[in-house]
Amino acid sequence: MSEPTGSDAARSLADAERIATLVRARTSQNVVSWLAGTAVASAFYLTGVGAAGREWDWIAMLSGLLGTAVVSVTALFFSTDVTGARAQLRRWWRAVLVWLLVLGVALGVGLPLFPGQLWFWLPIAVVSAVPLMVGIALEVRE
Amino acid sequence: MSTAPGPGARGDGGEHPRHRLEQPLLHAVRFSIVATLSASEMAEFAFVRDTVEVSDSVLSKQVAVLENAGYVSVLKGYAGKRPRTWLRLTPDGRDAFARHLEALRDIARQGG
């Protein structure tokens, strides 16, 4: 097997970069789709919870729907034919954790103090999507 | 796994970067397989095959070489009833690829 010359080495490096770009584009697409879908679901969920007031059955049903949707999409996300590199998964996790924190605070404050008051729930619904949108922005920038 | 310094090594105490190349990665298909896996945590056999643009048998053969070198691990499982094979770069494989790329950069800089 012959050893590479300078131009062979440059060609190999370009090839490695081309492949890495191809793989990253594919895995980024999965991450961005997950984050965007969850951002929309989160906003609808909190709006629904706000509109439900003290109808606990409705709130439980909405929570079940959100949980099922997120778990199903996450299962799909991890069963695709390629999963992102460790740094990409770390960025995704960070966005998910901040989103869960915001969601927890919104429910923890909103349900006992502002049931049915849409002036609270509509802005918080938008705010809940922000960590996920930031995650998308970071992913696209990478 | 590096190639040992040979007669072409420099006498000034600096070794030519070609001696730092990883022997198993000098093969173009193996190099592309490892490049694909280095950009991911784990990839399905079919994804790697399509990315590298080789047949199943060529990929199997080269993956076996990489597995024997300790660069790649192969995981078999099922998605529903469909059998699937996943490939992942081992930590040693990741280090070896980084060293190989560094040596290639040095060779490219020196113009061979």
Side-chain angles (χ1 to χ4, degrees):
Chain A
M1 200 176 300
S2 61
E3 289 168 338
T5 62
S7 58
D8 291 339
R11 223 182 352 262
S12 292
L13 288 167
D15 201 35
E17 188 50 43
R18 180 188 62 78
I19 290 172
T21 305
L22 201 81
V23 175
R24 272 199 301 267
R26 175 63 170 276
T27 55
S28 274
Q29 199 183 345
N30 293 343
V31 171
V32 167
S33 301
W34 190 97
L35 292 171
T38 307
V40 171
S42 174
F44 274 107
Y45 168 70
L46 286 179
T47 305
V49 167
R54 290 186 190 278
E55 300 284 341
W56 301 113
D57 290 350
W58 273 101
I59 292 171
M61 191 194 73
L62 286 171
S63 303
L65 278 177
L66 179 74
T68 307
V70 170
V71 168
S72 308
V73 175
T74 305
L76 271 179
F77 176 66
F78 278 104
S79 67
T80 52
D81 51 6
V82 58
T83 51
R86 207 158 283 183
Q88 191 180 47
L89 292 175
R90 245 195 321 267
R91 283 196 300 278
W92 174 75
W93 254 118
R94 225 172 281 147
V96 172
L97 288 177
V98 177
W99 168 65
L100 287 172
L101 187 73
V102 172
L103 197 67
V105 169
L107 292 171
V109 172
L111 284 176
L113 300 179
F114 308 106
Q117 298 182 40
L118 284 178
W119 64 265
F120 171 83
W121 290 100
L122 286 177
I124 209 74
V126 175
V127 168
S128 78
V130 169
L132 302 168
M133 302 309 279
V134 170
I136 291 173
L138 291 175
E139 195 52 48
V140 169
R141 199 185 62 180
E142 284 295 320
Chain B
M1 190 192 303
S2 295
T3 54
R10 288 180 174 172
D12 58 4
E15 182 187 62
H16 191 282
R18 73 172 174 275
H19 298 298
R20 289 186 277 117
L21 290 168
E22 299 291 323
Q23 201 67 51
L25 301 181
L26 288 174
H27 189 284
V29 172
R30 290 199 287 267
F31 178 81
S32 295
I33 293 168
V34 172
T36 303
L37 296 176
S38 77
S40 62
E41 185 58 25
M42 209 155 61
E44 205 190 339
F45 185 90
F47 176 83
V48 179
R49 179 199 61 206
D50 295 344
T51 304
V52 178
E53 297 174 4
V54 289
S55 65
D56 283 357
S57 60
V58 169
L59 183 59
S60 290
K61 195 175 158 197
Q62 299 308 333
V63 164
V65 173
L66 291 167
E67 200 180 7
N68 285 335
Y71 289 0
V72 167
S73 60
V74 179
L75 303 125
K76 290 184 186 288
Y78 284 87
K81 286 182 178 173
R82 198 163 67 92
R84 290 174 101 176
T85 301
W86 293 85
L87 307 177
R88 117 187 273 170
L89 211 52
T90 62
D92 282 350
R94 225 167 259 282
D95 291 346
F97 188 58
R99 282 196 303 271
H100 189 76
L101 288 183
E102 197 48 50
L104 285 176
R105 275 188 211 103
D106 289 345
I107 292 170
R109 244 192 314 270
Q110 292 177 9

